[in-house]
Amino acid sequence: MRAIVHENENGLDGLTVKDMSVKQVTGKEVRIQIHTAGMNRRDLAVVTKRHTAEDPPLIPGSDASGIVEAVGEQVTKFQPGDEVVVNPGLGWQRKSAAPPQGFEIVGLPDDGTFAEYYTCTEDHVERKPEYLSFEEAGVLPLAALTAYRALFTRGNLKADQTVMLPGIGSGVLTFCLKFAKAIGARVIVTSRSTEKQKEALKLGADVTLSTEEDWNNSLSSENVDLLIESIGNATFNKSLDIVRKGGTIVTFGSTTEDEVKLNIRQFFYGQYNLLGSTMGSAEEFREMLHFVTEHHIRPQLDKTFSIDEYLQAFEYIRDSKNFGKIGFKIV
């Protein structure tokens, strides 16, 4: 099978397309013929941080939609021809306060979905929502699951609350925007790009502003209950300063420096809540699929690339050109 493979060199220079062997299925395994494999910023982090001198060739990728091509003799949930999506989480079945020991994400350390076929056990696969195209379903899993847990499991967002999303444009935050509006919450977004601000308004954002402006001055009449923080050091203290007293920050990522300086006295006098969030469990994955189906939510699909356009795709997400999700159309 053809696959995007990372080997020999660190970073994007180590990427190539080559033929890889197709794994035979046994037991509870299913083999999926991939239609669309969604791309996430995690994939960029994987290829830029691997020490390839010691590591074997790796197929990146965590998201996928496709058709079940073969099943092992113990499989009971699926049969060949079923349309499915891949759950990008491995080893986290039930909803819990934190992932269990041994939790992994598809695409590292084992091979992922940027290939013509992907094989996994049946408990890491769910049926594709019928109303979604393969392209839409293929870019759904990781970002939508991350958004769902951050907003609802961790952030406990309610319809009468206001959520703020600094740095709108990523797959996760566009899902956060759509999910929050689906339950009737008020949404404030920021971006350095005026075009991304305009796109956010089209999706239902109530207020948009520049990430670089004075948020307190611009939002003096707003009451931010929940803020989803994914930028890191560049915005963290602005985020803390804009959330109402007793409000909550949920952080799931850091596109700038990981380490932040915190005024602990300001924090405890403000009675703030700071929560971490990492993707989600298989139980939450099923909840998310039910939620998007109930509200007929579609991913914000920016662009798809062919498997041979791998370098353009990695550069596109590296340079934050996307508004929403991108992916590889394999079939």
Side-chain angles (χ1 to χ4, degrees), residues 40-58:
N40 298 281
R41 188 165 285 274
R42 177 181 188 270
D43 302 314
L44 179 65
V46 165
V47 303
T48 54
K49 294 179 181 178
R50 288 184 81 224
H51 299 293
T52 55
E54 296 83 18
D55 292 336
L58 176 77

Side-chain angles (χ1 to χ4, degrees), residues 50-123:
R50 288 184 81 224
H51 299 293
T52 55
E54 296 83 18
D55 292 336
L58 176 77
I59 302 172
S62 304
D63 286 344
S65 67
I67 297 175
V68 174
E69 189 211 41
V71 300
E73 65 277 8
Q74 298 176 28
V75 170
T76 59
K77 287 174 57 179
F78 302 102
Q79 60 185 2
D82 286 343
E83 298 180 353
V84 296
V85 291
V86 172
N87 176 0
L90 301 172
W92 187 5
Q93 287 298 316
R94 308 302 300 176
K95 188 188 303 185
S96 57
Q101 186 173 4
F103 168 69
E104 299 285 357
I105 299 175
V106 172
L108 184 75
D110 298 324
D111 284 338
T113 58
F114 291 171
E116 292 178 324
Y117 297 95
Y118 175 70
T119 300
C120 63
T121 55
E122 65 176 341
D123 58 344

Side-chain angles (χ1 to χ4, degrees), residues 107-248:
L108 184 75
D110 298 324
D111 284 338
T113 58
F114 291 171
E116 292 178 324
Y117 297 95
Y118 175 70
T119 300
C120 63
T121 55
E122 65 176 341
D123 58 344
H124 291 106
V125 181
E126 300 294 338
R127 295 188 183 278
K128 179 181 78 67
E130 291 183 1
Y131 74 97
L132 293 179
S133 68
F134 278 111
E135 290 84 2
E136 291 169 327
V139 303
L140 178 79
L142 188 147
L145 177 57
T146 301
Y148 184 87
R149 179 173 171 89
L151 274 184
F152 300 125
T153 305
R154 301 295 280 159
N156 198 28
L157 181 67
K158 304 298 182 186
D160 60 349
Q161 293 182 322
T162 296
V163 60
M164 186 166 174
L165 309 172
I168 192 69
S170 71
V172 176
L173 292 187
T174 52
F175 278 120
C176 282
L177 170 53
K178 292 189 175 191
F179 290 179
K181 295 308 299 181
I183 68 164
R186 184 170 175 80
V187 180
I188 301 168
V189 307
T190 83
S191 176
R192 291 178 297 174
S193 164
T194 55
E195 287 304 311
K196 290 184 178 182
Q197 292 178 44
K198 291 176 183 177
E199 290 298 319
L201 287 172
K202 293 178 184 178
L203 296 185
D206 297 281
V207 179
T208 68
L209 64 157
S210 171
T211 304
E212 298 166 324
E213 68 184 88
D214 184 338
W215 298 351
N216 277 304
N217 183 59
S218 302
L219 301 174
S220 58
S221 61
E222 296 286 350
N223 199 36
V224 177
D225 302 287
L226 172 65
L227 188 144
I228 306 298
E229 170 60 57
S230 62
I231 299 176
N233 183 59
T235 57
F236 184 84
N237 280 290
K238 290 180 71 172
S239 297
L240 182 60
D241 200 36
I242 197 64
V243 174
R244 67 167 174 82
K245 298 293 176 61
T248 299

